[in-house]
Amino acid sequence: MTPLVTAAVLLAAVTHASWNAIAHRITDKLTGFALISGGGMLIGLALLPFTAFPAAGAWPYLLVSAAIHIAYYALLMRSFRLGDFGQAYPIARGSAPLLVTVLAAVFAHEVPDGWATGGILVSCAGLTGVALWGLRGRRPDWAAIGAALATGVTIAAYTVVDGLGVRASGSSLGYIAWLMAVQGTVLPAYFLYRHRAGAWALLRPHASLGLAGAALSVTAYALVLWAQTRAELAPIAALRESSVKWRSYSNAPVNMLKPVRHVAGAPSSR
């Protein structure tokens, strides 16, 4: 991985941590994710006239990725509802690089060397340590851990699918624009269906915050997609997750030491 690619992924990690911090500030998680997803859709649509149309070979990956991203948001909201943010999120993000390593070896024929493998293991161990630190003195919430691990599976899946898709697209910017435009329609549509006439009243207090989160989210993932065209998938995935260490440690007093019993406005499990 070249210094330029490394710098891009580290910048993506910072912007990723920033948009997650914004999402966590919006108590109603469905409202927050609807704003961020919808904002990403608007950014994608705005970029379309200025980007290259992805090559035909990229579209199966792009459409599958959009579906996986929707599953990721649904599982992430469920994880937040069931368990402590400081427990669920490091598990979700920490399990992903190991799965990416396996999936990239199978589907992209990328097998990291010894140093890269060591770095991936250290990254995953560090994230697992964050989760275990949050569990100290308490009984594990196995339902929340299961949801977090399922979230990690979706992260690994869309990472590899998008890595293959963006390489086939011919334009990383065109790929991210179309991905945001396609996947960004679902959560806002579900939010509007669920809240109908009261939707604007819920969105308005958080609109500027959510749109800022959307801009950071698109920037973070655009940098990752660009990096995936120039380096192997697994090391990028592990380096990207450095954002979670910063995010989790910076919120330790709130999120890791105090269990969250309920998240207002999150979708029910029915």
Side-chain angles (χ1 to χ4, degrees):
M1 193 183 302
T2 66
L4 180 60
V5 173
T6 300
V9 178
L10 289 174
L11 179 58
V14 173
T15 51
H16 181 87
S18 299
W19 87 255
N20 272 271
I22 287 173
H24 194 60
R25 287 179 60 187
I26 302 175
T27 304
D28 185 314
K29 298 307 175 191
L30 180 57
T31 299
F33 283 121
L35 280 168
I36 290 171
S37 183
M41 177 190 67
L42 294 177
I43 293 170
L45 291 173
L47 289 173
L48 292 184
F50 308 101
T51 60
F53 192 79
W59 278 94
Y61 296 106
L62 192 151
L63 295 175
V64 170
S65 173
I68 297 172
H69 272 87
I70 299 305
Y72 161 71
Y73 282 125
L75 285 166
L76 187 59
M77 286 189 287
R78 179 170 174 79
S79 297
F80 286 164
R81 186 180 67 83
L82 289 174
D84 184 356
F85 177 87
Q87 171 186 329
Y89 201 61
I91 292 173
R93 305 301 308 196
S95 59
L98 287 178
L99 294 171
V100 169
T101 303
V102 174
L103 293 174
V106 173
F107 294 104
H109 309 293
E110 295 179 358
V111 180
D113 61 23
W115 284 106
T117 300
I120 293 166
L121 292 174
V122 168
S123 176
C124 293
L127 290 168
T128 302
V130 170
L132 293 175
W133 178 262
L135 284 173
R136 71 194 194 284
R138 298 184 317 188
R139 179 178 298 178
D141 185 339
W142 294 112
I145 290 173
L149 288 172
T151 305
V153 171
T154 61
I155 294 168
Y158 74 62
T159 297
V160 174
V161 169
D162 281 334
L164 297 173
V166 74
R167 291 172 182 179
S169 71
S171 169
S172 57
L173 191 58
Y175 188 91
I176 187 69
W178 278 101
L179 179 62
M180 293 297 108
V182 171
Q183 78 174 38
T185 60
V186 176
L187 276 181
Y190 173 70
F191 178 86
L192 292 173
Y193 168 77
R194 179 167 176 170
H195 294 289
R196 295 180 178 85
W200 177 239
L202 291 171
L203 293 173
R204 183 172 53 189
H206 310 290
S208 59
L209 198 61
L211 293 176
L216 290 167
S217 175
V218 173
T219 300
Y221 206 50
L223 288 167
V224 169
L225 289 176
W226 175 83
Q228 287 178 324
T229 65
R230 287 161 172 78
E232 293 185 349
L233 303 180
I236 290 173
L239 185 59
R240 180 192 180 201
E241 303 310 343
S242 61
S243 67
V244 183
K245 297 183 183 70
W246 178 86
R247 176 79 179 101
S248 298
Y249 283 124
S250 66
N251 286 276
V254 175
N255 297 313
M256 295 171 63
L257 305 183
K258 296 181 181 180
V260 177
R261 300 181 183 275
H262 175 71
V263 176
S268 69
S269 58
R270 292 177 291 177

